[in-house]
Amino acid sequence: MSFPWANHYEPKHPLMQWIDQRLPLPRFVYGAVGAGYPVPRNLNYWWNFGVLSGVALTIQLITGIVLAMHYASNGALAFDSVEHIMRDVNSGWLLRYAHANGASMFFIVVYIHIFRGLFFGSYKAPREMVWLLGLVIFLLMMATAFMGYVLPWGQMSFWGAKVITGLFGAIPLVGEPIQTWLLGGFAPDNAALNRFFSLHYLLPFVIAAVVILHIWALHIPGSSNPAGVEVKGPQDTLPFHPYYTAKDGFGLGVFLIAFALLLFFAPNALGHPDNYIPANPLSTPAHIVPEWYFWPFYAILRAFTVDIFGIPAKLLGVVAMFGSIILLFFLPWLDNSPVRSGHYRPLFKSFFVLLCIDVLILGYCGGAPAAEPYVMISQVAAAYYFAHFLIVLPMVARFEKPLPLPGSITEAVLAKNTIAA
Amino acid sequence: MVRPIGFLAGLAFVAILLFSMITGAVSFITDPPAATAEHEYHLHPKELQLASDGPLGRFDRQQLQRGFQVYKEVCSACHSLRLVAFRDLRDIGFNEGEVKAIAHNWSTEVPSINPSTGEPATRKATPADKFPSPYANEVAGRAANNNALPPDLSLMTKSRHEGAAYVYSLLTGFAEQPAALVKAFPDSKTPQGLHYNPYFANLNIAMPPPLVADGQVTYSDGTKSTVDQMSKDVAAFLVWTAEPKLEARHRGGMGVLIFLLIATTLGYMAYRNVWADVKH
């Protein structure tokens, strides 16, 4: 793949030669994540988060498979089987806390990965397909995480399932039948729990498959880089191994330290206490909130409080919530500035910072009770979110005067080093 | 095509949201939300420090045993502990014989069947049994408590915000309802059969004050059993019932952290070494 100067796989050991002639899998790995993949030499630490997302997915798969050996997906048993894991299974508490907090860590690194792509224009030609597949992964992650949160069958599991499937009930005419069909009943119960468990086990493997496509699509043009100019020759690249495996190894260490701090010393900090109360269809929690990684979208959902031209506010909220993600699929064509990196786009940079603050505000409001002033704040913040992508970015692309781009990656690196010296 | 359509969609979203915002703001100003007794009088849990707090926290077994004694002699009359087994008491310092005796002498027996007739019966608890519920079922629990079911306590300190401090505050927080509250919110007068407690979410709890007098429980280790002390001890005990593996978690975490710090330092040095001859 990619550049003509890429190292070629040359097995020395007769056994490896024998395998290579029959199934060139080692050759494939060598070219994908080994010394055979030339990578721009100027990647900064923001480029660590792709690999970290892959690690987070692997941790979820391994802990999840073992947890499934002890978990009972039955409405009458689910809650107690989770407590059985916490109390009686050898190291069960470690597995369960690793899986629950692993989901949070997965979302943290994926959000950073996405915002890195947003700032450095990684979604632009010729990498649109990488961006689109990444968004597919993100949607699958959200579905998987939501269904996973239902499995412990606590109060937030039950009421979260009720609220989220209730969103489909907002669809005109066919909404209620769809909701009933999704749940396998009129309210979340055993049928819903079982299908959520089945899908929660299936979807991570679908994610893994799309991750392979994501990396495949990435390797056609090769990795993007902070300067945003394309690779011009061998002097611009380094082999992935050992240069970026070493850098990713260090990044992985930092990631695992953060993960360990959360897992061992604050394992319930990101969860909701109500989920330690068994699901009770007759008692509604005071505040139904999803997990923190859904808060920005939950704030957008709840920001729509007024019916417009007979369209119910709930339907508008649902459309906007899904729209807030769907619009990202059009981003490569909304932002048609030829300059990729935010470093050379002064106006874009200011709006990018504004977007980051805006999403944090949305997140805060999504976790807060649905009361004033949070609703008003989230309405303004949601308005900016849509305006940013649909109005501001196309305008900026049109009117901004970008800074001069470096001639090549090597030139950018040398210029930076001169300034530093 | 994408940009003009996107532009119109963006305008529509912005217009609807700003219209909703203005509508909300107008009603917020013209019709501000009324103050409620819960909002004005609900108190945040008091400060509580336990040996199990912090990243190096360990259980104070003496305190857990005192807390267990309070549970056994007071709380267990109404509250179950259905996720905890008698055998688990070994973890808080009781020996095998003591655990056997505690199970055997427990005031409630375990549901069973008569081995010769198959009729429903009860038998003495064994260390392998979970703590039996004081009521045969939910209906019995409600019937005995004015329709308010006493919640299971196994996970109490994890199912409330700041659980241990909440339990401690609730147990020591019973008080006369302030006259000012009734004056400002006449509808919020504590109803008959409920008890005013500012640490409870809606201020009025069905549970009567369970710990009322110093010396209600006689501690064998010589600790003075004030209401405050008993409340602290039972809160500490409920931290253990909710998170029995806390010590293993803290210990394991320290080991993992030390390993990761060393490994990451080596990883950083390897990274610098590999990149030593490259400008970047």
Side-chain angles (χ1 to χ4, degrees), chain A residues 341-414:
Chain A
S341 172
H343 281 318
Y344 303 100
R345 301 184 61 191
L347 199 54
F348 169 86
K349 203 188 223 171
S350 316
F351 282 111
F352 176 81
V353 172
L354 202 55
L355 176 74
C356 293
I357 298 168
D358 185 65
V359 171
L360 290 176
I361 292 174
L362 277 174
Y364 182 80
C365 292
E372 300 297 3
Y374 303 114
V375 177
M376 282 191 271
I377 297 170
S378 55
Q379 282 160 340
V380 175
Y384 180 72
Y385 180 91
F386 288 104
H388 179 88
F389 288 106
L390 297 172
I391 299 170
V392 173
L393 281 189
M395 302 271 267
V396 167
R398 188 139 174 202
F399 297 111
E400 182 182 50
K401 203 173 169 314
L403 303 177
L405 289 178
S408 72
I409 290 172
T410 307
E411 201 179 283
V413 171
L414 294 178

Side-chain angles (χ1 to χ4, degrees), chain B residues 41-121:
Chain B
Y41 284 88
H42 181 256
L43 293 180
H44 202 74
K46 295 184 227 178
E47 194 73 24
L48 173 68
Q49 277 173 358
L50 294 175
S52 53
D53 294 345
L56 291 166
R58 298 275 184 275
F59 289 121
D60 173 353
R61 281 180 172 60
Q62 205 66 40
Q63 183 175 36
L64 296 193
Q65 292 195 14
R66 291 197 303 269
F68 169 65
Q69 195 185 345
V70 177
Y71 171 73
K72 186 174 93 169
E73 293 180 19
V74 184
C75 319
S76 72
C78 305
H79 291 279
S80 58
L81 202 58
R82 65 185 190 89
L83 297 171
V84 184
F86 288 104
R87 63 180 154 82
D88 295 332
L89 293 174
R90 299 280 308 268
D91 293 349
I92 63 170
F94 289 104
N95 66 36
E96 206 177 330
E98 288 169 328
V99 170
K100 258 189 189 154
I102 290 167
H104 189 78
N105 300 326
W106 198 255
S107 54
T108 318
E109 294 202 329
V110 179
S112 170
I113 53 166
N114 184 321
S116 45
T117 64
E119 295 285 317

Side-chain angles (χ1 to χ4, degrees), chain A residues 178-320:
Chain A
I178 286 180
Q179 188 188 348
T180 309
W181 177 72
L182 284 172
L183 284 172
F186 298 108
D189 203 346
N190 209 37
L193 179 61
N194 264 297
R195 65 188 57 183
F196 282 8
F197 180 50
S198 171
L199 293 173
H200 183 73
Y201 205 108
L202 168 71
L203 289 185
F205 296 97
V206 180
I207 293 177
V210 186
V211 165
I212 290 172
L213 299 182
H214 186 64
I215 297 172
W216 187 6
L218 172 72
H219 282 48
I220 306 299
S223 298
S224 170
N225 69 83
V229 293
E230 287 298 316
V231 167
K232 299 235 163 65
Q235 73 284 358
D236 287 345
T237 66
L238 293 167
F240 187 84
H241 181 73
Y243 291 96
Y244 284 105
T245 42
K247 192 169 181 176
D248 285 332
F250 168 57
L252 176 64
V254 176
F255 166 80
L256 289 177
I257 288 171
F259 189 11
L261 287 172
L262 190 61
L263 195 172
F264 290 103
F265 303 112
N268 293 308
L270 299 174
H272 197 290
D274 277 12
N275 228 25
Y276 282 109
I277 304 171
N280 182 355
L282 299 177
S283 151
T284 316
H287 304 295
I288 302 174
V289 283
E291 291 275 84
W292 69 268
Y293 35 79
F294 292 134
W295 286 353
F297 304 103
Y298 198 54
I300 291 175
L301 172 76
R302 295 193 302 186
F304 291 81
T305 49
V306 181
D307 298 356
I308 305 284
F309 303 129
I311 306 169
K314 187 182 174 190
L315 179 60
L316 288 169
V318 172
V319 169

